[in-house]
Amino acid sequence: MYEPKPEHKFTFGLWTVGNVGRDPFGEPVRATKSPVELVHLLAEVGAWGVNLHDNDLIPIDATPAERDKIVRDFKAALGETGLVVPMATTNLFTDPAFRDGAFTSNDRNVRAYALQKTMNAIDLGVELGAKIYVFWGGREGTETDASKDPITAIKRGREAMNYLCNYVLDQGYDLKFALEAKPNEPRGDIYNATTGNMLAFIETLDHPDMVGVNPEVAHEHMAGLNFTHHVAQALEAGKLFHIDLNDQAFGRYDQDFRFGSANLKSAFFLVKLLEDNGYDGSRHFDAHAYRTSDYEDVKAFARGCMRTYLILKEKAARCNADAEIQALLAEINADSSEMSPFMGQYSREKAAALRTHTFDRAALGRRGQPYERLDQLVVELLLGVRS
Ligand code: GCO
Ligand code: MN
Ligand code: MN
């Protein structure tokens, strides 16, 4: 029942199950696996797709001949396993050239190199079948605002996005962009720090229709925000092109934990939002196993991400079918339609009528809401004691 199937669109990045456990305090604890080995690992656990940064697959200094051989071998592994590549992205943060950012770097040569690297990486993504191209501005930020004017940074970011949108259109590629916000790490502060910032930024671009967002659980949680509300805003605006699922304790370092492992209740409301609203993009897990894991445990990590999603999806369906919960919701949202003549689309007449209506303000203030009862029912449903 909780077996992953292609229609669930579960994907992992090469960098997620391939994470070797390096952290600022310690060396790798797991041997590096090749992209081909990782494709087979993902097939074994039942994933539908694999996503990648250009340099997860092709070393930054590979020759054209090496590149072609790597791509050939990778495509062969995709063919053998049936895995697809729905999303691709550019690594604009590892190489020392990007120490001050890529598209927002103060060095114009670095900004031009970032465009060139991204166009090459877009070609690679398209060659592998990607329809979504993610932009995560990992180094697009500062430690000190003495170094860069934040308005200049916004303008540089816009110029790069416009350039790359035009490149995609010029090539005739069927590709959309998804912008991923993060408040900090690896920079002290990253520009466009939340999904809401990204949504506003997109509307200032030359081709806003081809650009949406890729929100990540951990990133809004790092900022102390309600992730489900941010995803809701993106969904409602038709801008949820992709999503990075993982988990994160509030107020901690960038943890990238297994989906649902830290905040089960918010994971439930997130899955319910996605499923109730027919989100049909990838469910991408941008997470990695604990540093204590070996590769057997990495598989358990990957299976756990998908299984928890499917369990929460089933809980969401149960919630929607739970007579007591639904009766409470109906009671809470009961509408007498008494106010209909005054509300909805504005008209001068409605406004005039509303201004002369007398409200019993004290009665409005006396009405309580049974949200404790409702929430306890949801909690018991999640705890598995409601059949
Ligand atoms: C992070 C980010 C990255 C991006 C990835 C794809 O916190 O490091 O979430 O994992 O999602 O670079 O764009
Ligand atoms: Mn992240
Ligand atoms: Mn991410």
Side-chain angles (χ1 to χ4, degrees):
M1 177 166 190
Y2 305 125
E3 283 299 304
K5 300 202 180 73
E7 70 254 30
H8 300 133
K9 298 190 174 174
F10 290 135
T11 64
F12 290 82
L14 281 180
W15 69 94
T16 65
V17 282
N19 181 288
V20 291
R22 180 185 289 107
D23 73 13
F25 306 94
E27 298 298 339
V29 292
R30 290 183 285 269
T32 302
K33 281 199 187 290
S34 71
V36 166
E37 288 174 312
L38 292 168
V39 166
H40 285 282
L41 184 153
L42 286 173
E44 186 186 334
V45 298
W48 168 66
V50 55
N51 303 319
L52 49 95
H53 300 88
D54 49 355
N55 304 136
D56 296 338
L57 184 60
I58 299 165
I60 195 164
D61 49 7
T63 64
E66 285 164 349
R67 176 206 187 271
D68 292 349
K69 180 179 183 328
I70 292 168
V71 173
R72 237 187 354 262
D73 292 349
F74 190 68
K75 281 185 177 166
L78 295 174
E80 269 170 50
T81 56
L83 255 75
V84 293
V85 178
M87 176 274 259
T89 183
T90 329
N91 185 326
L92 294 172
F93 43 88
T94 298
D95 195 83
F98 301 122
R99 63 206 289 166
D100 186 36
F103 304 135
T104 62
S105 167
N106 275 336
D107 186 334
R108 197 147 193 253
N109 292 348
V110 172
R111 300 207 296 278
Y113 171 58
L115 288 174
Q116 183 203 62
K117 190 173 194 288
T118 305
M119 289 188 288
N120 290 338
I122 286 175
D123 292 353
L124 171 68
V126 170
E127 183 180 348
L128 295 171
K131 295 276 187 289
I132 298 290
Y133 203 84
V134 163
F135 288 85
W136 171 62
R139 300 250 179 226
E140 313 288 16
T142 58
E143 285 69 44
T144 167
D145 286 330
S147 66
K148 209 172 288 177
D149 168 19
I151 290 185
T152 301
I154 293 167
K155 290 188 192 306
R156 287 176 184 164
R158 179 182 301 122
E159 186 180 296
M161 281 305 122
N162 287 339
Y163 193 104
L164 294 165
C165 282
N166 280 309
Y167 175 71
V168 166
L169 292 170
D170 206 18
Q171 298 296 311
Y173 289 157
D174 174 18
L175 190 70
K176 288 193 163 185
F177 290 175
L179 311 189
E180 178 177 347
K182 187 177 183 183
N184 53 270
E185 215 169 312
R187 298 309 295 269
D189 292 287
I190 300 178
Y191 298 121
N192 281 330
T194 70
T195 300
N197 290 75
M198 285 300 186
L199 287 169
F201 173 70
I202 288 166
E203 295 310 314
T204 72
L205 299 177
D206 289 348
H207 300 285
D209 291 352
M210 62 188 284
V211 188
V213 291
N214 177 38
E216 173 171 318
V217 179
H219 298 177
E220 251 74 33
H221 284 192
M222 286 169 72
L225 299 170
N226 182 316
F227 182 64
T228 303
H229 292 188
H230 285 74
V231 174
Q233 189 181 0
L235 257 178
E236 202 270 341
K239 288 293 188 192
L240 188 68
F241 289 4
H242 200 262
I243 192 163
D244 277 4
L245 302 170
N246 57 12
D247 214 345
Q248 166 79 37
F250 284 75
R252 299 287 173 91
Y253 67 98
D254 184 12
Q255 295 177 309
D256 288 333
F257 283 158
R258 190 180 75 256
F259 181 60
S261 63
N263 301 280
L264 210 37
K265 193 174 169 189
S266 35
F268 166 72
F269 287 118
L270 173 65
V271 171
K272 186 168 187 306
L273 179 84
L274 295 175
E275 296 300 326
D276 285 355
N277 291 282
Y279 169 70
D280 71 348
S282 293
R283 276 78 172 158
H284 174 235
F285 298 104
D286 187 7
H288 51 74
Y290 302 138
R291 192 162 180 271
T292 40
S293 298
D294 58 17
Y295 274 108
E296 270 317 297
D297 207 42
V298 169
K299 290 181 206 165
F301 147 83
R303 289 194 178 99
C305 284
M306 298 184 282
R307 189 172 162 85
T308 297
Y309 188 100
L310 292 174
I311 294 170
L312 292 174
K313 178 177 170 177
E314 191 225 348
K315 295 285 184 191
R318 277 178 190 247
C319 185
N320 292 340
D322 187 299
E324 209 177 337
I325 291 175
Q326 294 310 315
L328 262 183
L329 283 171
E331 182 191 321
I332 288 160
N333 291 296
D335 181 358
S336 65
S337 76
E338 199 191 332
M339 291 295 124
S340 301
F342 307 136
M343 295 181 73
Q345 174 64 41
Y346 175 85
S347 76
R348 198 172 284 171
E349 295 68 32
K350 279 187 193 173
L354 178 56
R355 296 182 77 164
T356 60
H357 182 78
T358 307
F359 286 93
D360 184 350
R361 199 181 77 249
L364 292 178
R366 270 194 300 275
R367 184 179 174 204
Q369 293 284 24
Y371 295 165
E372 290 287 0
R373 265 161 64 208
L374 177 63
D375 188 68
Q376 182 65 24
L377 289 173
V378 173
V379 166
E380 293 193 11
L381 186 136
L382 290 178
L383 292 176
V385 298
R386 291 181 72 71
S387 55

